[in-house]
Amino acid sequence: MRLNFAPHKTVIIGVLNVTPDSFYDGGKWFDLDTAVARAREMIAEGADIIDIGGESSRPGSDPVTEAEEQRRVLPVITALAKSATVPLSIDTRHPAIARAALEAGASLVNDITGLRDQKMIDIVAKHKASVVIMHMQGEPKTMQDQPQYDDVVGEIKAFFAARIAAARAAGIADIILDPGIGFGKKLEHNLAILNRLEEFHELGCPLLIGASRKSFIGAITGAEIEDRLPGTIASSVAVVLKGVRFLRVHDVKECRQAIDVVDAIRAVR
Ligand code: HH2
């Protein structure tokens, strides 16, 4: 299924982590039936895409083997591909997992390493898939130890420009950019990115933001992870008003309602 959305509608991506240790929904959808049921629930709540991940990338997380990652995600994608009414996305940094997911029916690769691996570029191109190029400084295990930038927006833009050129050279047409909130970024970096999102538009690709329940909301408000839905909605509204097209969220129902209202207001002239 290709990505094809109405131009003025914000695209909501529902997060489905088939992991025991994801920072918010770890362990909740770890078996096949529960994961498939949760995906269907998010579709009924208004998700436009389901993003399936089998490896946590929270700060400090340890990598899992590719065999284990595949064991977690592939049955879910295979089951959903038969009946899902929305495109499926695979959240992986491993080319082999991306290939297996695309062959099983996914149509978007969400790569938190931002197509740094040429093998990933080749697989996305071969399958004529869409891709999310996300920026991360460092690796999940250590990325929050000492993030450092002279100009956070400028450096991420330069990274995107190089990765877009590599993707386009391989024939990838459908590119989404994500500055990677919380991936090797301190609070000040996350806030600068969110405040300066307009500067990414000149790269000519739609933007995605994944701010859902992340720690910067806790750093601003003191709220624990279970209590970060209001902060998630506030950040979602703020970024949509700055031209972001794709939101990656855990709470589809609540974010859908909030963003439908924003989209309706914006649609009137
Ligand atoms: N955030 C997470 C994972 N994947 N992909 C993109 N494109 N953008 C993001 O901001 C992003 C992402 C982390 O959130 P989550 O999947 O809920 O947690 P975990 O990595 O612990 O599984």
Side-chain angles (χ1 to χ4, degrees):
M1 195 180 299
R2 312 304 309 164
L3 296 193
N4 186 17
F5 300 106
H8 300 297
K9 187 178 174 235
T10 301
V11 181
I12 301 234
I13 303 178
V15 178
L16 184 69
N17 284 313
V18 192
T19 67
D21 59 343
S22 286
F23 83 95
Y24 175 59
D25 60 349
K28 285 191 189 174
W29 338 110
F30 198 41
D31 73 80
L32 176 60
D33 291 347
T34 325
V36 170
R38 175 59 183 156
R40 295 203 172 116
E41 182 177 52
M42 289 194 287
I43 294 167
E45 290 174 350
D48 299 299
I49 298 175
I50 302 296
D51 186 36
I52 300 136
E55 178 184 61
S56 173
S57 52
R58 72 185 191 289
S61 59
D62 285 310
V64 297
T65 64
E66 288 189 40
E68 173 61 12
E69 187 182 348
Q70 178 151 333
R71 192 194 65 71
R72 293 176 183 179
V73 294
L74 213 57
V76 179
I77 293 170
T78 305
L80 285 173
K82 288 186 200 132
S83 61
T85 49
V86 304
L88 303 176
S89 160
I90 175 69
D91 182 354
T92 189
R93 59 198 173 88
H94 293 121
I97 305 288
R99 186 198 304 116
L102 293 170
E103 283 168 2
S107 45
L108 171 66
V109 175
N110 174 20
D111 180 8
I112 63 162
T113 61
L115 294 184
R116 280 184 244 169
D117 187 337
Q118 183 63 40
K119 287 203 275 308
M120 188 67 109
I121 294 179
D122 296 341
I123 285 163
V124 173
K126 182 171 169 229
H127 285 84
K128 300 193 184 341
S130 307
V131 70
V132 176
I133 297 178
M134 197 197 80
H135 175 272
M136 166 168 61
Q137 187 181 83
E139 298 296 323
K141 183 81 184 156
T142 52
M143 65 189 177
Q144 290 307 102
D145 291 355
Q146 228 159 18
Q148 232 168 355
Y149 301 85
D150 291 325
D151 167 14
V152 64
V153 172
E155 287 169 46
I156 295 173
K157 274 176 74 178
F159 171 80
F160 283 154
R163 303 328 301 146
I164 292 169
R168 294 252 189 264
I172 298 174
D174 206 359
I175 299 171
I176 299 163
L177 302 176
D178 178 353
I181 297 301
F183 284 88
K185 279 121 192 157
K186 294 182 189 164
L187 175 63
E188 73 212 54
H189 302 135
N190 291 317
L191 293 178
I193 291 165
L194 294 172
N195 189 36
R196 294 171 56 192
L197 283 169
E198 292 91 343
E199 295 177 40
F200 293 103
H201 290 319
E202 71 186 41
L203 293 164
C205 298
L207 298 180
L208 183 156
I209 289 291
S212 186
R213 295 186 180 265
K214 284 193 175 162
S215 65
F216 79 98
I217 299 172
I220 297 166
T221 64
E224 294 300 330
I225 190 159
E226 314 78 52
D227 296 324
R228 292 181 192 159
L229 179 56
T232 298
I233 292 174
S235 64
S236 299
V237 171
V239 303
V240 165
L241 291 175
K242 285 176 175 284
V244 165
R245 276 280 278 147
F246 294 82
L247 294 174
R248 183 182 181 278
V249 298
H250 302 95
D251 305 278
V252 169
K253 186 176 165 206
E254 293 82 356
C255 292
R256 178 88 269 165
Q257 186 186 96
I259 295 306
D260 280 352
V261 173
V262 176
D263 285 349
I265 293 169
R266 290 192 310 163
V268 176
R269 285 269 152 230

